[in-house]
Amino acid sequence: SQQGEEDPQALSIQEGENATMNCSYKTSINNLQWYRQNSGRGLVHLILIRSNEREKHSGRLRVTLDTSKKSSSLLITASRAADTASYFCATVASGGSYIPTFGRGTSLIVHP
Amino acid sequence: DGGITQSPKYLFRKEGQNVTLSCEQNLNHDAMYWYRQDPGQGLRLIYYSQIVNDFQKGDIAEGYSVSREKKESFPLTVTSAQKNPTAFYLCASSITRGAYEKLFFGSGTQLSVL
């Protein structure tokens, strides 16, 4: 099954800096979703971007999608210690199963 | 508050034992899912259900069973046939079946083998 792959696997930054995570995938998608997971907890949906969209914003989050390169990026601006978590991209294939398939995630640590 | 409730938070299984993980939602969602998460790994789909009394196997269904007798409930049984059950199990739901939508997750159950 299709799976997005996040890069980097781990990211450590200082509070106030921006954090950028990338996701690459292999086949055509209907949409791509980003989720956040705090340690030992469930996932929380952040943003869904459809294949005909190039950029979406939500608060301090900015997601871009480049279908020609089969990649997406998640930018967190002015990061806070509370942003420390794992971030997952999930792809939904076009014309196939509607169920999101998850990558392995990026572990983000924001130092106060 | 509307949401998905998973219980218990921690569960221990003895050799040869079946254990059942509970998942209840009061969001009135049609579709429900079970994922398995191993350390440092992504989520892998075990089973999903689009409607009451119907469910489908995911990528790693062997050693697991489910039922969907009520819209609100989607319990997962980890059978003795699952030889490596230690993992974090996540239940999720989405509003409608067959639609390209986001998932809502419960807080998870950590299953360990004694």
Side-chain angles (χ1 to χ4, degrees):
Chain A
S1 56
Q2 171 171 281
Q3 182 180 47
E5 290 295 333
E6 291 91 341
D7 174 65
Q9 291 187 349
L11 183 60
S12 180
I13 60 174
Q14 295 295 128
E15 216 167 25
E17 294 180 341
N18 294 343
T20 300
M21 289 158 266
N22 303 296
C23 173
S24 60
Y25 57 92
K26 295 181 179 178
T27 60
S28 296
I29 60 169
N30 174 280
N31 70 69
L32 185 145
Q33 303 173 26
W34 285 93
Y35 291 80
R36 164 191 170 129
Q37 183 181 34
N38 287 82
S39 181
R41 305 298 300 273
L43 279 69
V44 175
H45 181 267
L46 298 175
I47 288 183
L48 183 154
I49 186 165
R50 302 194 185 280
S51 59
N52 60 351
E53 297 174 313
R54 292 295 167 259
E55 187 171 313
K56 288 190 81 168
H57 296 254
S58 177
R60 293 184 296 111
L61 306 181
R62 172 178 170 249
V63 169
T64 60
L65 179 65
D66 186 336
T67 53
S68 67
K69 295 182 179 178
K70 293 186 169 58
S71 68
S72 173
S73 67
L74 170 66
L75 168 67
I76 304 174
T77 60
S79 63
R80 306 165 182 169
D83 294 328
T84 294
S86 292
Y87 292 83
F88 293 87
C89 75
T91 53
V92 179
S94 59
S97 170
Y98 63 92
I99 302 170
T101 302
F102 290 80
R104 299 187 178 195
T106 292
S107 175
L108 172 66
I109 297 176
V110 182
H111 299 280
Chain B
D1 286 339
I4 300 177
T5 301
Q6 289 188 241
S7 63
K9 188 166 179 61
Y10 301 97
L11 186 59
F12 298 91
R13 192 191 89 167
K14 296 179 181 178
E15 290 288 338
Q17 185 183 41
N18 293 352
V19 292
T20 298
L21 284 61
S22 171
C23 178
E24 302 278 333
Q25 56 103 353
N26 60 4
L27 300 168
N28 200 32
H29 287 179
D30 283 333
M32 298 186 74
Y33 314 81
W34 275 105
Y35 285 90
R36 169 178 170 144
Q37 184 178 30
D38 293 280
Q41 302 294 313
L43 278 66
R44 292 183 290 169
L45 183 66
I46 305 173
Y47 268 99
Y48 65 99
S49 169
Q50 300 181 72
I51 198 169
V52 174
N53 291 323
D54 183 62
F55 48 82
Q56 308 295 329
K57 292 181 179 180
D59 299 321
I60 56 165
E62 185 173 352
Y64 301 97
S65 66
V66 294
S67 63
R68 186 88 186 275
E69 298 177 359
K70 299 186 300 182
K71 186 176 185 177
E72 303 80 20
S73 179
F74 191 41
L76 173 73
T77 296
V78 183
T79 74
S80 57
Q82 173 50 247
K83 298 307 179 186
N84 184 23
T86 296
F88 191 54
Y89 290 86
L90 288 158
C91 179
S93 69
S94 61
I95 296 173
T96 55
R97 55 192 174 114
Y100 297 93
E101 298 170 341
K102 65 182 182 182
L103 301 182
F104 296 76
F105 282 86
S107 57
T109 293
Q110 175 64 51
L111 175 62
S112 302
V113 176
L114 289 175

